[in-house]
């Protein structure tokens, strides 16, 4: 029924109505003949299950969106005799059919989708999947034997194949294309996205139900299994994921790759895309290549929020990570087993391309999501913001944005498993592949987000042009397309959708946030038993509750949606725990237990009780937590304890972010890879330098380097500094527990592009401080212009003690506390850092009249007084000049010429109080861009919070 319903909404490309009618007539005759065969088989006393399966097979083929088989094709399949030669002939025939088929796309404005007529089918499926054993039967394959082939004269499809066809229908619904400035704004707000999101969310709601089984469920005594134990082979979660990747993802991506065509570097940048992306000169200095092959994606390339087949793979990966698997090294998850099996059973080049597709498509969606948040898609209508809210924020983000992050992490691990020896052995003539490392992933992210030049990087292809052409000659990289006008050779280039520094700043914020999430939110380790699973589920629930309460006190009913972003199996075990307390409201009892642990219940007259976060629970607050919206984090930053000492009100060193949650051992290396990558370190240093450097009046560095727009006041923000401190804090956590062993590179942080790529010994946390915080700026950035600049440690010290530079001051004191904690950590673990700060502390602090060092509060008071005095002097000077211009009498002129301006000894106490606080009024624009002297409107982040209620309009049917 679901096939039948959705297939009606396919965008059919028939030449004429007669052609469509004739094809349907042929399909009808084929199906009629097949059903007759089923009837004759049933008359021979076949079982009811056999008859139901055969009817399903015919309907599946008849309603197949890729087109029904013809009579000749069915007959060809009927010639199979069951021996090996027949199987090979069948496989060749199927391959031939698959090569000629196309990827169908649904029309979101069709009444089936716009009116949600598929809803009853989804509801019925949910009901059926609640029957014990049905979900396990879903992940089975029919046994192919000669006896079975003799029973019926065509190959039996399976439920998995039908499910793959359904998911393939949902791929790329409601494609989006960036409107160029010449096209102007849309005249009418499109509503296609509503039907597309409803369909995607409804299909996504089936994922965890279809996977609600354990690997050993096939051995349980279910009466349903008795009919299928001999005819079906039950797959494990890892085998199911492998089947979906090989039979679903790989063919779809292979067909879809044909729509991405590289172009020459033409006069319209948004329509041009290179074959390769250049690396930065910083990465090349750490042994990275100068370019990398990537999917040619232009800014105007059609893309979609909806990739249900990819996201079902992500749901499978979550289950694989949860399943225990014991090997020689101990108790680990099945992800290791899945990666090994894929490498063993799939052709290396095909597997490499499959992993690349799993990486590219989610990154494209994340990059476009960042562009929309940065106001770069305004011409496409306000509906784009509504789509972003549903994609990236609760309650639907778990099956959309979170799934894309899982795919990126797994694809990265999979690509790392393919060594250069394997790629060279599988390479075909004229085509070569190079190993994929964290440097490739970071370079892909920076190019897709379009901030390569804004971050101050220089293209390595331009620096090493001779080397590039030599490697092109040796088929290391494919040659770029050339124009037909002059045939000039073209180098790989970078692209940015905007040159506005304010929007580039927003894109940098989004990129840093994405890096933080990819580093922090890893798949959890498999539980050892049910008690362990229950314990971890309670931790995840508590984490969600803390971040919901961080934005302010809330009623119990406002927290009910936290269960929507938890795994279904977590909700099951939490409900079982809750039943022991309150059988009538099990989920509510589990939530109540979490609230009692981290919050206090406050009673208000005339209002419902509110739960307020306890002070100690703020230690677990993550300022970049991905299940909280931008507005919620802004509200949390205003009420977060700021680390002030109660007596002296000085900055107290404390971590800006908590220790990340426990993660699967296979994925744990991402934290070291990201926090030691030379390109990431250069990006973080550049952001610190922009906000905290000492400005020179003559020959300022910002006037001579690339991306100088980043040094303008409109390109500075507290959010960027917060992200920088956050990533550096994660680096401390990742490298603090360094172990002395020869295989340290297997744990991450030692590949090309890393600051430890040339390290012969196991790096320690002291080495991380030396190469990240103390390294000379010219070596960090690859510019000799930075030779006289301060190191990252000194910039962090200025951020902690002074709040930034004369051009930018931080208002969020938690950022300063986090910077102070990093400085304290460096001095505690590195003698070089302690010596450097010991010599420079006095130069960063002003001295009082008695020669003693000022406290932070005394310095702020002095600076506030100086600012007020300066303003009063300016006003008095303006008043005196006004008197000079009146010219009423010569006496007045003489008096005004000799007048001395009498300045009060101290300004008004009220002025001092307001000035020394250093805070601006609590408005919605303050946290977005508190340093925006131009008076222009800041990016559209605050308004996103006002659209949160729109998510209810497309909630799927239960």
């Amino acid at each position: 029924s679901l096939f039948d319903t959705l297939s009606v909404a396919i965008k059919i490309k028939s030449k004429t109505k007669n052609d469509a009618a004739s094809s349907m007539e042929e399909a009808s005759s084929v199906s009629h003949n097949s059903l007759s065969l089923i009837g004759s088989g049933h008359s021979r006393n076949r079982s009811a299950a056999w008859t139901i399966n055969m009817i399903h097979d015919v309907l599946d083929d008849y309603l197949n969106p890729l087109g029904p088989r013809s009579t000749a094709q069915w007959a060809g399949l009927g010639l199979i005799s069951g021996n090996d030669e027949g199987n090979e002939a069948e496989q060749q025939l199927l391959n031939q059919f698959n090569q000629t088929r196309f990827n169908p796309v649904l029309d979101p404005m069709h009444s089936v989708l716009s009116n949600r007529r598929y809803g009853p089918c989804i509801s019925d499926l949910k009901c059926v999947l609640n029957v014990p054993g049905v979900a396990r039967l879903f992940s089975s394959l029919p046994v192919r034997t000669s006896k079975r082939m003799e029973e019926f004269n065509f190959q039996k499809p399976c439920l998995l194949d039908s499910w793959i066809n359904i998911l393939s229908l949902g791929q790329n619904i409601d494609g989006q294309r960036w409107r160029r400035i010449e096209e102007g704004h849309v005249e009418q707000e499109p509503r296609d996205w509503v039907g597309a999101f409803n369909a995607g969310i409804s299909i996504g709601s089936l994922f965890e139900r279809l996977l609600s089984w354990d690997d050993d469920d096939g051995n349980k005594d279910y009466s349903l299994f008795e009919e299928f134990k001999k005819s079906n082979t039950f797959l494990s979660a890892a085998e199911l994921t492998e089947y979906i990747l090989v039979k679903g993802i790989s063919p779809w991506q292979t067909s879809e790759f044909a729509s991405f065509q590289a172009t020459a570097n033409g006069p319209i940048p948004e329509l041009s895309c290179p074959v390769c992306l250049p690396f930065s000169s910083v990465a090349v200095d750490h042994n990275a290549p100068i370019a990398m092959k990537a999917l040619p994606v232009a800014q105007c390339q059609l893309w979609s929020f909806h990739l249900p087949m990819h996201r079902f793979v992500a749901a499978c990966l979550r289950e694989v990570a949860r399943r225990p698997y014991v090997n020689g090294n101990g108790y680990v998850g099945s992800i290791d087993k899945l990666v090994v099996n894929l490498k063993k059973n799939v052709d290396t080049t095909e597997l490499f391309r499959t992993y690349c597709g799993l990486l590219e498509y989610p990154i494209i969606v994340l990059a476009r999501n960042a562009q929309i948040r940065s106001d770069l898609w305004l011409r496409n209508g306000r509906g784009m913001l509504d789509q972003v809210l549903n994609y990236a924020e609760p309650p639907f983000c778990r099956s959309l944005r979170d799934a894309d992050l899982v795919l990126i992490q797994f694809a990265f691990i999979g690509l790392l498993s393919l060594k250069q020896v394997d790629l060279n052995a599988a390479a075909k003539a004229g085509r070569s592949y190079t190993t994929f490392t964290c440097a490739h992933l970071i370079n892909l992210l920076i190019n897709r987000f379009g901030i390569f030049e804004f971050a101050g990087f220089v293209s390595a292809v331009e620096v090493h042009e001779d080397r590039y052409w030599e490697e092109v000659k040796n088929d290391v990289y494919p040659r770029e397309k050339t124009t037909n006008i002059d045939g000039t050779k073209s180098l790989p280039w970078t692209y940015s959708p905007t040159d506005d520094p304010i929007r580039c700043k927003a894109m940098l914020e989004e990129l840093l946030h994405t890096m933080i999430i990819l580093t922090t939110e890893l798949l959890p380790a498999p539980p050892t038993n049910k008690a362990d699973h229950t314990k971890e589920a309670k931790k995840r629930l508590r984490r969600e509750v803390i971040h919901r309460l961080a934005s302010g006190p809330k009623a119990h009913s406002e927290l009910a949606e936290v269960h929507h972003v938890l795994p279904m199996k977590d909700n099951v075990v939490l409900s079982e725990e809750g039943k022991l307390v309150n059988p009538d409201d099990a989920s509510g009892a589990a939530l109540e237990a979490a609230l009692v642990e981290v919050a206090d219940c406050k009673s208000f007259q005339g209002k419902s009780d509110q739960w307020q976060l306890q002070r100690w629970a703020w230690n677990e607050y993550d300022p970049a937590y991905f299940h909280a919206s931008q507005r919620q984090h802004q509200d949390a930053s205003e009420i977060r304890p700021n680390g002030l000492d109660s007596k002296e009100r000085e900055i107290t060193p404390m971590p800006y972010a908590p220790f990340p949650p426990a993660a699967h051992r296979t994925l744990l290396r991402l934290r070291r890879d990201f926090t030691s990558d030379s390109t990431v370190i250069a990006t973080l240093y550049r952001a610190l330098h922009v906000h905290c450097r000492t400005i020179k009046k003559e020959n300022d560095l910002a006037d001579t380097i690339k991306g100088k727009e980043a040094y303008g006041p409109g390109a500075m923000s507290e959010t960027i500094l917060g992200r920088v401190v956050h990533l550096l804090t994660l680096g401390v956590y990742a490298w603090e527990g360094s172990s002395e062993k020869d295989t340290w590179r297997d744990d991450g942080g030692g590949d090309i592009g890393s600051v430890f790529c040339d390290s012969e010994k196991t790096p320690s946390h002291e080495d991380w401080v030396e190469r990240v915080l103390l390294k000379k700026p010219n070596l960090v950035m690859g510019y000799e212009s930075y030779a006289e600049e301060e190191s990252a440690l000194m910039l962090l010290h200025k951020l902690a003690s002074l709040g930034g530079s004369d051009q930018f001051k931080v208002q969020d004191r938690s950022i300063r506390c986090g910077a102070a904690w990093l400085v304290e950590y460096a001095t505690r673990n590195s003698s070089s850092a302690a010596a450097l700060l010991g010599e420079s502390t006095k130069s960063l602090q002003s001295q009082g009249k008695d020669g003693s060092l000022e406290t932070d509060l005394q310095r702020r008071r002095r600076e506030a007084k100086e600012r007020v005095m300066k303003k009063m002097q300016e006003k008095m000077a303006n008043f005196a000049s006004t008197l000079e211009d009146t010219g009423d009498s010569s006496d007045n002129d003489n008096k005004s010429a000799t007048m001395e301006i009498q300045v009060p000894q101290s300004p008004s106490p009220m002025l001092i109080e307001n000035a020394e606080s250093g805070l601006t009024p609590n408005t919605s624009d303050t946290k977005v861009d508190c340093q925006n002297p131009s008076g222009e409107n800041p990016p559209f982040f605050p308004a996103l919070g006002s659209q949160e209620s729109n998510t209810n309009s497309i909630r799927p049917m239960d």
Side-chain angles (χ1 to χ4, degrees), residues 52-266:
I52 292 173
N53 279 337
M54 292 302 101
I55 294 175
H56 170 269
D57 295 341
V58 176
L59 292 179
D60 177 22
D61 192 80
Y62 172 65
L63 299 172
N64 191 337
L66 303 180
R69 297 183 178 94
S70 65
T71 307
Q73 292 168 352
W74 278 105
L77 292 177
L79 295 176
I80 303 302
S81 60
N83 53 28
D84 293 338
E85 295 180 358
N87 289 336
E88 291 179 0
E90 177 190 5
Q91 191 61 43
Q92 291 176 2
L93 185 61
L94 291 176
N95 290 339
Q96 181 182 357
F97 297 161
N98 291 333
Q99 290 173 1
T100 58
R101 292 180 176 179
F102 59 92
N103 292 329
V105 178
L106 295 181
D107 181 7
M109 291 302 292
H110 195 282
S111 59
V112 169
L113 296 184
S114 60
N115 296 328
R116 298 172 63 178
R117 291 179 180 172
Y118 53 82
C121 302
I122 299 292
S123 299
D124 291 345
L125 272 174
K126 290 180 180 179
C127 181
V128 172
L129 289 172
N130 288 332
V131 178
V134 171
R136 187 68 181 94
L137 181 63
F138 159 79
S139 60
S140 64
L141 294 175
V143 177
R144 297 178 57 181
T145 62
S146 57
K147 181 179 179 181
R148 186 171 181 80
M149 290 299 175
E150 292 175 358
E151 291 177 351
F152 199 70
N153 66 341
F154 62 88
Q155 180 193 8
K156 178 189 180 303
C158 63
L159 291 172
L160 284 181
D161 294 334
S162 304
W163 179 242
I164 289 173
N165 286 338
I166 281 188
L167 295 178
S168 126
L169 278 178
Q171 295 280 90
N172 281 342
I173 307 180
D174 188 29
Q176 305 291 337
R177 183 181 61 81
W178 190 61
R179 293 180 66 89
R180 300 167 56 219
I181 191 171
E182 293 82 3
E183 299 176 75
H185 197 282
V186 291
E187 297 181 358
Q188 185 177 1
E189 289 286 341
R191 299 294 296 172
D192 307 29
W193 68 271
V194 177
F197 264 89
N198 275 322
I201 293 170
S202 297
I203 293 176
S205 65
L206 297 172
F207 290 172
E208 290 188 288
R209 286 179 168 86
L210 289 168
L211 299 171
S212 59
W213 45 269
D214 292 322
D215 289 346
D216 59 349
D217 281 357
N219 299 324
K220 294 183 179 179
D221 187 18
Y222 289 148
S223 59
L224 184 65
F225 290 153
E226 297 302 324
E227 184 71 32
F228 296 94
K229 278 185 177 179
K230 295 182 180 180
S231 62
N232 290 54
T233 301
F234 294 98
L235 303 178
S236 65
E239 292 169 341
L240 171 63
T241 308
E242 180 181 350
Y243 188 88
I244 299 293
L245 286 172
V246 173
K247 300 296 184 180
I249 292 292
S250 181
W252 185 89
Q253 289 184 163
T254 301
S255 177
E256 199 69 17
F257 285 161
S259 63
F260 293 86
Q261 298 293 331
T263 66
N265 192 359

Side-chain angles (χ1 to χ4, degrees), residues 288-365:
I290 59 177
M292 61 176 286
K293 288 180 287 189
L295 199 64
V297 181
Q299 177 65 21
C300 290
Q301 179 79 38
L302 199 68
W303 66 281
S304 173
F305 279 104
H306 309 285
L307 299 167
M309 194 189 309
H310 287 73
R311 284 153 191 164
F312 180 69
V313 171
C316 292
L317 289 171
R318 290 181 178 132
E319 285 299 314
V320 171
R322 193 184 64 83
R323 310 295 167 96
Y325 172 66
V326 180
N327 63 5
N329 296 327
Y331 202 70
V332 298
S334 299
I335 288 184
D336 312 78
K337 181 180 179 181
L338 173 61
V339 172
V340 171
N341 289 346
L342 284 170
K343 188 176 179 180
K344 177 181 178 182
N345 301 330
V346 183
D347 177 72
T348 304
T349 56
E350 179 184 349
L351 184 58
F352 185 87
R353 289 171 58 85
T354 301
Y355 281 142
C356 287
L358 285 180
L359 193 73
E360 283 275 17
Y361 283 102
I363 288 179
I364 291 173
V365 179

Side-chain angles (χ1 to χ4, degrees), residues 861-877 901-908 911-912 915:
R861 284 178 175 174
R862 175 182 55 77
E863 291 179 352
K865 182 176 179 180
E866 291 175 353
R867 288 194 297 269
V868 175
M869 296 287 286
K870 183 178 180 181
K871 290 182 179 180
M872 292 184 64
Q873 290 176 356
E874 291 175 354
K875 289 181 179 179
M876 294 295 291
I901 300 175
Q902 300 295 327
V903 182
Q905 295 296 322
S906 62
S908 169
L911 292 175
I912 284 289

Side-chain angles (χ1 to χ4, degrees), residues 519-520 522 660-661 663 667-675 734-735:
T519 307
T520 305
L522 305 178
L667 302 174
L668 203 58
R669 63 167 297 159
L670 270 80
R671 293 175 179 170
R672 287 195 172 188
D673 282 324
F674 269 74
T675 56
W735 290 93

Side-chain angles (χ1 to χ4, degrees), residues 608-627:
S608 59
D609 293 346
Q610 301 278 314
W611 290 90
Q612 185 174 8
L613 196 63
Q614 297 179 9
R615 186 177 180 88
W616 70 266
W618 282 97
N619 295 330
E620 299 183 19
Y621 168 70
D622 185 347
Y625 188 58
F626 68 149
H627 286 165

Side-chain angles (χ1 to χ4, degrees), residues 630 633-635 637-638 717-719 811-812 815 923-930:
Q630 185 79 13
H633 280 303
Q634 290 174 1
D635 294 339
S637 65
E638 296 176 0
S717 75
E718 285 190 359
T719 303
Q811 303 296 324
D812 188 353
I815 297 177
T923 63
S924 60
D925 294 339
T926 301
K927 290 303 294 180
V928 177
D929 193 358
C930 60

Side-chain angles (χ1 to χ4, degrees), residues 671-864:
R671 293 175 179 170
R672 287 195 172 188
D673 282 324
F674 269 74
T675 56
S676 63
D677 184 80
S678 59
T679 305
V680 174
I681 301 305
T683 304
L684 301 183
Y685 176 82
R686 162 87 166 202
L688 280 174
H689 188 262
V690 165
H691 293 81
C692 305
R693 69 193 175 98
T694 301
I695 302 176
K696 302 176 183 178
K697 297 182 179 179
E698 297 181 358
N699 299 325
D700 189 43
L701 175 67
D703 299 331
T704 60
I705 59 176
K706 251 191 174 184
K708 61 181 180 181
E709 298 82 5
Y711 286 86
M716 300 181 185
S717 75
E718 285 190 359
T719 303
I720 291 179
L721 275 180
R723 303 287 191 240
V724 170
V725 174
H726 195 146
L727 276 168
L728 291 175
T729 303
L730 293 176
V732 169
Y733 294 148
W735 290 93
E736 191 172 16
S738 301
S739 57
E740 294 291 338
K741 58 182 182 179
D742 297 334
T743 59
W744 64 271
R745 294 183 189 273
D746 295 336
D747 296 332
D751 289 331
I752 60 173
S754 168
V755 294
F756 298 118
C757 65
D758 57 350
S759 179
E760 297 181 357
K761 64 175 184 178
T762 304
S764 64
H765 51 277
E766 182 178 358
D767 296 327
W768 185 84
V769 172
E770 296 282 345
R771 300 205 181 193
V772 173
L773 301 182
L774 294 175
K775 194 173 183 179
K776 294 182 179 179
N778 58 319
L779 300 179
V780 173
M781 294 301 302
Y783 281 106
E784 283 303 320
S785 304
Y786 283 91
E788 303 298 327
E789 300 299 314
E790 298 166 300
S791 65
L793 181 64
M794 293 306 304
L795 295 176
L796 285 171
H797 184 46
K798 290 178 64 177
L799 175 60
S801 59
L802 304 178
S805 64
D806 295 337
Q807 191 177 8
F808 184 89
K809 293 290 184 182
V810 171
Q811 303 296 324
D812 188 353
R813 296 179 69 88
S814 62
I815 297 177
R816 297 180 61 186
C817 294
W821 183 82
L822 289 170
V823 172
E824 182 184 64
Y825 175 85
T827 55
R828 188 173 65 249
N829 292 279
S830 172
S831 57
S832 301
L836 178 63
L837 287 178
E839 295 175 356
S840 59
T841 299
K842 292 186 178 182
S843 64
L844 290 177
Q845 294 179 329
S846 303
Q847 290 187 346
K849 294 181 179 179
D850 57 352
S852 61
L853 296 178
E854 290 181 320
T855 65
D856 179 69
L857 180 60
Q858 292 171 343
R859 178 187 59 79
R860 291 171 64 86
R861 284 178 175 174
R862 175 182 55 77
E863 291 179 352

